Amino acid sequence: MSASSSILELKEVTLRFGGLTAVNRFSTSVAPGQLFGIIGPNGAGKTTAFNLITGVYTPSEGSVRFDGETVASGPAAGQRAFRARPYELAAKGICRTFQNIRLFGSLSVLENVRAAFQQRLGTGLAAATLRLPTFFDEEAAVEEEARALLSIVELEHLASSEARNLAYGEQRRLEIARALATSPRLLLLDEPAAGMNPSEKVRLSEMVKRIRQKFGLTVVMIEHDMRFVMGLCERIAVLDHGEKIAEGTPDEVRANPAVIEAYLGEAAHA
């Protein structure tokens, strides 16, 4: 860990698609271990910001820093723009889920989680081909850890079920278990409560808190359900038309007139 008080820092990050500015000079920082939310109306730039953090897009301007290291930057002072690729960021400790569920539907629940361990395996092709003891030891350890992750997200009893047969909320939790298998330090959740009923959202909120505590994670999420975000996140940034219009605690965001006008409305005070 660097001496910085932030594990994630965005500085004046801008992304343009031709004449369209999707994110404009977005700056924020996230402290280690924090539950941080990014909210805003449809088209506000939330998912684009996630894609900048996770190496999908290269900034047109500004920079993204993780644990004190610049992982993406727009062109500056004669230097070329660059970004670390998603697989490189995963190796550094950044992992995400997606708004549209991306499970291996024909694989079992357990196999979906096991697949995420591939980048961490130490034995090579020779050990697997020759069926060496080290290969079997590692396979056993992976299965044990995968089942432990399924237990944390309350899916161990469905380990042998095909992922496509899970209920929607269960698939969401499986995505989180698979992300945890990469041993992240920063977990980004894209609309984790989408499609869930109220009881499932309560269960998810409790699970995210447990995961944060157990693994010492920093969690950043984007989400449309304001009650869910306000009840879970410790700090929230609000985007509107690609620009940050507010940042603070849930209470500060609720009371901000610009936020009320742009997104929350009177229902935010309920």
Side-chain angles (χ1 to χ4, degrees), residues 207-220:
M207 188 190 75
V208 171
K209 291 176 183 177
R210 288 200 311 271
I211 288 171
R212 189 266 295 263
Q213 182 175 9
K214 180 175 179 63
F215 295 101
L217 287 177
T218 304
V219 180
V220 179

Side-chain angles (χ1 to χ4, degrees), residues 10-269:
L10 279 67
K11 185 175 181 180
E12 301 288 315
V13 173
T14 298
L15 181 65
R16 300 187 186 92
F17 297 105
L20 173 67
T21 301
V23 174
N24 188 28
R25 301 175 68 86
F26 180 31
S27 295
T28 192
S29 62
V30 182
Q34 195 169 54
L35 289 171
F36 190 94
I38 301 175
I39 65 173
N42 287 332
K46 304 183 298 296
T47 296
T48 303
F50 255 37
N51 287 337
L52 286 162
I53 295 168
T54 55
V56 177
Y57 297 141
T58 303
S60 303
E61 297 175 13
S63 63
V64 179
R65 293 174 64 82
F66 173 67
D67 197 20
E69 176 187 358
T70 300
V71 294
S73 178
Q79 305 261 335
R80 295 181 61 183
F82 78 94
R83 74 179 190 273
R85 297 303 192 262
Y87 69 90
E88 295 172 322
L89 294 174
K92 294 178 185 294
I94 299 177
C95 193
R96 71 175 290 182
T97 64
F98 292 86
Q99 183 175 357
N100 298 317
I101 293 174
R102 300 187 182 185
L103 298 172
F104 301 112
S106 61
L107 297 184
S108 72
V109 168
L110 180 62
E111 288 168 339
N112 266 272
V113 179
R114 285 175 59 96
F117 282 91
Q118 293 305 310
Q119 70 170 6
R120 295 170 50 192
L121 297 181
T123 55
L125 179 61
T129 302
L130 298 173
R131 318 298 281 177
L132 298 178
T134 53
F135 167 76
F136 289 105
D137 289 345
E138 189 170 60
E139 286 291 299
V142 165
E143 174 145 352
E144 181 179 0
E145 190 170 347
R147 289 187 180 277
L149 290 174
L150 288 178
S151 179
I152 289 169
V153 300
E154 301 176 345
L155 291 175
E156 188 176 16
H157 63 293
L158 296 171
S160 60
S161 301
E162 288 189 0
R164 61 188 170 195
N165 293 331
L166 267 58
Y168 192 81
E170 292 170 338
Q171 291 187 9
R172 286 282 180 192
R173 300 206 307 274
L174 177 55
E175 270 207 321
I176 293 174
R178 191 174 62 177
L180 291 173
T182 67
S183 292
R185 289 186 290 141
L186 174 62
L187 177 63
L188 297 107
L189 303 177
D190 190 347
E191 300 281 359
M196 291 188 177
N197 61 43
S199 63
E200 287 175 325
K201 290 176 182 178
V202 171
R203 193 176 187 181
L204 175 65
S205 180
E206 293 172 349
M207 188 190 75
V208 171
K209 291 176 183 177
R210 288 200 311 271
I211 288 171
R212 189 266 295 263
Q213 182 175 9
K214 180 175 179 63
F215 295 101
L217 287 177
T218 304
V219 180
V220 179
M221 70 174 64
I222 56 178
E223 179 57 61
H224 275 94
D225 187 320
M226 292 302 98
R227 189 178 297 274
F228 181 82
V229 173
M230 297 291 182
L232 178 60
C233 293
E234 297 152 343
R235 193 165 183 84
I236 298 169
V238 187
L239 295 179
D240 187 31
H241 296 98
E243 297 187 359
K244 186 175 77 172
I245 61 172
E247 182 173 334
T249 66
D251 287 342
E252 290 169 340
V253 168
R254 281 192 189 96
N256 189 298
V259 176
I260 295 171
E261 179 181 356
Y263 190 60
L264 299 180
E266 293 303 320
H269 298 285

